[in-house]
């Protein structure tokens, strides 16, 4: 997806500089875990390896003492090419969140076993698990307005209502293993990263500052092919914590998990499909 910012001046994508303020995290080091997946039906060996690694990370979270139903992200640094995630993967992204993050200490090991009918691939990992405990149950967002299907060149609009004062971060990602994307809000050229006040509904894209100057901003969805799937993640923080660097899954989840649980909301995940 190419997300076009319709406006009366040129768009500059600038990232705010500055240091992040993080508290102490609970880290369980050198957790050993395994996960398995079958090569059966439409599941290729490459897909089974990715799924097995996903299961190993989930099991590492459980072994570190997180709830047994917690789900981890499978976007591994060893994924290659333009492999895409399916509906099940997104459901696991969207249903989270996530009691902790898993950092591999070394490359995972994979073994295959054939029982006469099909192969089973098992991933073995050694990882450090960072737990996200102590979340503020009153620090939540109401997010509305995202549709599942959009037509090419539709404008994207949504609303956010926080229940505590906060700063907002809105990201979109491509439907690939690496998840390249962009930061939709804030954009320094147009937004000043304002404090969103509690129990107040904000319509996005925010443009009240620029209406005064007769300048508005809109998010217009554009694809070159016939159909494209993208993901939008919405996160709020109590402090102004900038996101610095390239927007992709690996950097995003590293940024997210380094923030104290009490200082952030759970991730709101939204899948959108754009069609010609």
């Amino acid at each position: 997806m190419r997300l076009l910012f319709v406006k009366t001046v040129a768009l500059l994508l600038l990232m705010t500089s500055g240091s992040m303020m993080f508290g102490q995290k609970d880290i369980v080091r050198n957790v050993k875990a395994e996960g398995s997946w079958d090569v059966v039906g439409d599941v290729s060996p490459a897909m089974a390896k990715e799924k097995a690694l996903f299961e190993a990370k989930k099991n590492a979270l459980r072994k570190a003492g997180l709830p047994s139903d917690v789900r981890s992200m499978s976007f591994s640094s060893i994924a290659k090419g333009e492999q895409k995630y399916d509906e099940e993967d997104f459901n696991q992204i969207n249903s989270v969140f996530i009691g902790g993050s898993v950092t591999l200490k070394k490359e995972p090991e994979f073994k295959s076993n054939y029982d006469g009918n099909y192969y089973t691939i098992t991933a073995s990992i050694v990882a450090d698990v960072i737990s996200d405990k102590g979340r503020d149950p009153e620090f939540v967002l109401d997010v509305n307005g995202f549709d599942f299907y959009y037509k090419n060149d539709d404008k994207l609009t949504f609303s956010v209502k926080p229940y505590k004062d906060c700063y907002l971060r809105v990201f979109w990602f491509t439907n690939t293993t690496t998840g390249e994307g962009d930061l939709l809000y804030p954009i320094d050229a147009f937004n000043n990263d304002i404090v969103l006040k509690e129990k107040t509904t904000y319509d996005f894209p925010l443009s009240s500052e620029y209406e005064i100057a007769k300048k508005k901003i809109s998010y217009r969805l554009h694809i070159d092919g016939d159909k494209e799937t993208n993901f939008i993640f919405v996160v709020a923080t109590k402090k102004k914590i900038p996101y610095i660097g390239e927007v992709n899954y690996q950097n995003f989840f590293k940024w997210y998990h380094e923030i104290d649980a009490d200082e952030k909301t759970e991730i709101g995940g939204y899948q959108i499909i754009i069609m010609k």
Side-chain angles (χ1 to χ4, degrees), residues 1-56:
M1 175 183 71
R2 286 188 292 138
L3 199 146
L4 308 179
F5 298 84
V6 181
K7 56 215 176 288
T8 58
V9 294
L11 172 68
L12 300 176
L13 291 176
L14 302 175
M15 296 299 179
T16 305
S17 61
S19 59
M20 299 184 185
M21 302 294 293
F22 303 122
Q24 296 296 316
K25 310 292 287 188
D26 291 334
I27 302 177
V28 182
R29 300 193 182 278
N30 299 316
V31 177
K32 296 180 179 180
E34 292 185 346
S36 299
W37 204 269
D38 296 332
V39 181
V40 62
D42 295 332
V43 178
S44 67
M47 292 172 61
K49 287 179 66 175
E50 184 73 11
K51 299 282 191 178
L53 181 59
F54 189 99
E55 293 300 311

Side-chain angles (χ1 to χ4, degrees), residues 137-252:
E138 296 180 353
F139 188 29
V140 294
L141 297 173
D142 279 346
V143 181
N144 294 286
F146 287 116
D147 293 327
F148 192 69
Y149 289 104
Y150 291 87
K151 293 182 180 179
N152 192 43
D153 290 332
D154 277 353
K155 292 181 179 179
L156 181 71
T157 61
F158 57 95
S159 66
V160 175
K161 180 181 179 180
Y163 284 84
K164 286 192 175 182
D165 290 358
C166 67
Y167 294 89
L168 194 72
R169 303 286 180 263
V170 182
F171 304 81
W172 72 263
F173 298 94
T174 58
N175 182 32
T176 61
T177 53
T178 51
E180 288 84 2
D182 243 319
L183 187 63
L184 294 189
Y185 181 86
I187 301 170
D188 291 346
F190 296 100
N191 306 115
N192 290 331
D193 200 7
I194 63 173
V195 176
L196 304 189
K197 297 297 183 180
E198 64 176 0
K199 300 179 182 179
T200 302
T201 299
Y202 294 84
D203 295 320
F204 285 79
L206 288 181
S207 56
S208 58
E209 298 173 57
Y210 304 99
E211 288 176 348
I212 298 175
K214 305 300 181 183
K215 299 175 182 178
K216 294 186 178 182
I217 179 174
S218 65
Y219 305 142
R220 184 159 61 89
L221 306 172
H222 182 77
I223 58 173
D224 296 321
D226 294 328
K227 180 181 177 181
E228 188 173 305
T229 301
N230 293 271
F231 304 133
I232 294 177
F233 290 169
V234 182
V235 180
T237 58
K238 294 178 181 178
K239 299 175 183 177
K240 183 181 289 189
I241 302 176
Y243 181 95
I244 300 172
E246 294 183 5
V247 177
N248 55 48
Y249 286 136
Q250 183 175 353
N251 291 344
F252 169 75

Side-chain angles (χ1 to χ4, degrees), residues 10 33 43 45 57 63 79 103 109 124 162 215 217 240 252 271:
V43 178
K57 290 183 177 182
K63 290 185 71 172
T103 302
E109 297 180 358
S124 300
K215 299 175 182 178
I217 179 174
K240 183 181 289 189
F252 169 75
Q271 182 182 30

